[in-house]
Amino acid sequence: MFFRRKQKPLPPDALPAHIGIIMDGNGRWAEKRSLPRQVGHRYGARTFRKITKYCEKIGIKCLTVYAFSTENWKRPQSEVDSLMALLKEYLEESLSDFKSENIKTRFIGDISPLSPEIRELIKKAEELTKDKTGLCLNIALNYGGREELTRVARSIAKEVAEGRLSPEDIGEELLQKYLYTAGQPDPDLIIRPSGEYRTSNFLLWQSAYSEYVFTDVLWPDFKPADLDKALREYAKRNRRFGGVK
Ligand code: FPP
């Protein structure tokens, strides 16, 4: 009889400080089971909770998940409504977890078109968790890398027009201060499940030197063991950041 040898956990310095996840494949997961796409999103939300808790447990500093992109408004209204309802449910149900867990939850993206109830719940979640010292969780909601960079350009142009900055002050460091992720490390690792090989407007600036891991697993089926596999793959990469090593 053969037993699979348990893999040794990676040492903390081999772990990425920041992981990004494009939670893809909910729709196909549901379609494969002849279920409505909404059911796939519901199972995807469960996976999101499980993986967030796991990241906190193994000591990841920062996790950014792509929950709704600036392009997702193009989906049928019924699907958009069900994603918003799911988000509202998650926020309402998590209020007690937000208090007890050591996770700092933040939302990145333009939340202004969301309903007043959702915006209020987002405010509450951010307020309840702002002093937490564990995992920093960014939920990307109505997020698009191009929208983020356009917004940065507009803010900097305004500072220049109003005389608070001169064009010579504009450099990479300054620009970074205007990103939704200001003050956080760039993602070291970005995981995309579901067999798609695209970045889909996710963290465009921040991902300049991210390592990508793609897997065929659909997001609702993604397990902590799949994250471990991605982490082991990441640990083998030779990151050179454009230099020589
Ligand atoms: C992409 O899969 C997934 C989304 C557009 C939504 C992701 C949202 C969740 C996982 C729920 C998260 C919820 C909370 C509460 C933060 P897809 O629908 O494009 O799948 P497909 O490519 O198979 O059609």
Side-chain angles (χ1 to χ4, degrees):
M1 209 177 191
F2 293 100
F3 291 98
R4 243 217 182 143
R5 198 180 309 150
K6 214 168 169 237
Q7 305 252 14
K8 265 206 245 151
L10 290 166
D13 63 351
L15 291 175
H18 186 168
I19 302 178
I21 305 185
I22 301 175
M23 305 186 288
D24 197 11
N26 298 341
R28 277 164 287 162
W29 183 93
E31 281 156 17
K32 264 173 66 182
R33 290 162 177 77
S34 309
L35 293 167
R37 292 175 57 82
Q38 282 86 313
V39 180
H41 293 312
R42 182 164 287 279
Y43 277 81
R46 282 191 196 174
T47 301
F48 152 71
R49 294 289 297 145
K50 251 187 252 158
I51 294 298
T52 301
K53 285 187 180 163
Y54 187 64
C55 284
E56 158 69 2
K57 186 177 138 199
I58 64 174
I60 301 297
K61 289 192 178 62
C62 198
L63 170 70
T64 301
V65 292
Y66 210 1
F68 194 88
S69 77
T70 43
E71 288 72 37
N72 286 152
W73 298 105
K74 292 184 209 150
R75 296 187 174 213
Q77 192 57 41
S78 59
E79 186 169 340
V80 171
D81 290 346
S82 77
L83 277 165
M84 292 301 152
L86 197 56
L87 176 72
K88 187 162 171 274
E89 198 180 303
Y90 156 72
L91 286 165
E92 283 166 346
E93 283 178 9
S94 303
L95 287 178
S96 64
D97 289 348
F98 287 145
K99 284 185 209 150
S100 61
E101 289 170 346
N102 195 16
I103 298 177
K104 181 174 179 161
T105 302
R106 294 186 57 242
F107 287 79
I108 64 169
D110 175 14
I111 61 160
S112 63
L114 306 184
S115 73
E117 292 103 304
I118 291 185
R119 278 187 280 134
E120 193 50 41
L121 284 162
I122 286 176
K123 217 168 104 193
K124 239 187 214 168
E126 291 187 333
E127 182 57 32
L128 277 173
T129 64
K130 70 179 191 319
D131 297 321
K132 301 286 181 175
T133 54
L135 176 76
C136 167
L137 168 68
N138 299 316
I139 302 181
L141 199 58
N142 192 25
Y143 173 87
R146 289 182 174 183
E147 187 276 334
E148 177 177 37
L149 295 176
T150 306
R151 192 174 153 272
V152 168
R154 195 180 309 119
S155 304
I156 295 179
K158 197 159 172 257
E159 299 280 336
V160 172
E162 291 171 6
R164 285 186 293 275
L165 280 179
S166 80
E168 289 70 37
D169 296 327
I170 303 170
E172 291 188 13
E173 250 172 65
L174 179 99
L175 209 142
Q176 267 172 38
K177 292 191 183 138
Y178 288 81
L179 296 172
Y180 290 123
T181 54
Q184 298 179 1
D186 285 340
D188 304 290
L189 167 66
I190 295 183
I191 303 172
R192 183 166 195 158
S194 91
E196 304 287 354
Y197 300 85
R198 287 188 292 281
T199 60
S200 297
N201 207 8
F202 185 51
L203 302 176
L204 287 186
W205 173 283
Q206 298 89 331
S207 64
Y209 282 97
S210 300
E211 296 293 328
Y212 278 83
V213 169
F214 297 99
T215 161
D216 287 340
V217 177
L218 300 174
W219 177 246
D221 288 331
F222 193 89
K223 305 268 178 312
D226 297 302
L227 186 78
D228 285 340
K229 202 169 158 206
L231 291 173
R232 285 196 296 276
E233 165 78 43
Y234 166 80
K236 283 193 256 163
R237 304 270 174 98
N238 176 14
R239 302 185 78 194
R240 293 188 294 278
F241 299 95
V244 185
K245 238 190 236 171

